Amino acid sequence: MSASERQPVVVHVDIVEPGRALVTLSNGGARLGLSEGKYWADIYEDSDVEAAAGRYKEGFATYDAAARWVARTHGYDGPLDIQKKRDPK
């Protein structure tokens, strides 16, 4: 089955406040933040994917780009369904 035939992996992005979000995947997650106009991603140390655990990267233009990197770092190479939700405050 090719990547385009697979069901998309849902990537949850919960925006907890402006410039701060949490990414949730079935096998791990990350914190996202905004610094000097660019987003960064910090993958949790307890990720189920050892190669992803503790990785950090900055310079993303959007939450989506950062979340996509988190998913790819966790081994998801097929289609992604990035779903953003804002915490009502």
Side-chain angles (χ1 to χ4, degrees):
M1 183 181 295
S2 73
S4 63
E5 295 176 277
R6 288 188 251 167
Q7 291 293 332
V9 169
V10 176
V11 180
H12 297 279
V13 178
D14 295 311
I15 301 169
V16 294
E17 63 183 55
R20 299 275 182 230
L22 302 174
V23 175
T24 306
L25 298 162
S26 63
N27 62 349
R31 296 177 304 132
L32 304 182
L34 181 64
S35 178
E36 298 179 12
K38 295 286 184 181
Y39 291 92
W40 51 262
D42 185 16
I43 296 176
Y44 301 137
E45 292 285 339
D46 63 353
S47 170
D48 289 346
V49 179
E50 189 175 326
R55 300 228 6 228
Y56 176 87
K57 187 172 180 180
E58 56 189 20
F60 300 103
T62 63
Y63 282 126
D64 286 17
R68 190 173 302 108
W69 175 79
V70 171
R72 299 294 185 221
T73 302
H74 277 85
Y76 295 109
D77 62 354
L80 302 173
D81 178 9
I82 298 174
Q83 299 182 359
K84 291 188 296 277
K85 180 180 80 173
R86 295 187 189 278
D87 248 2
K89 289 196 180 194

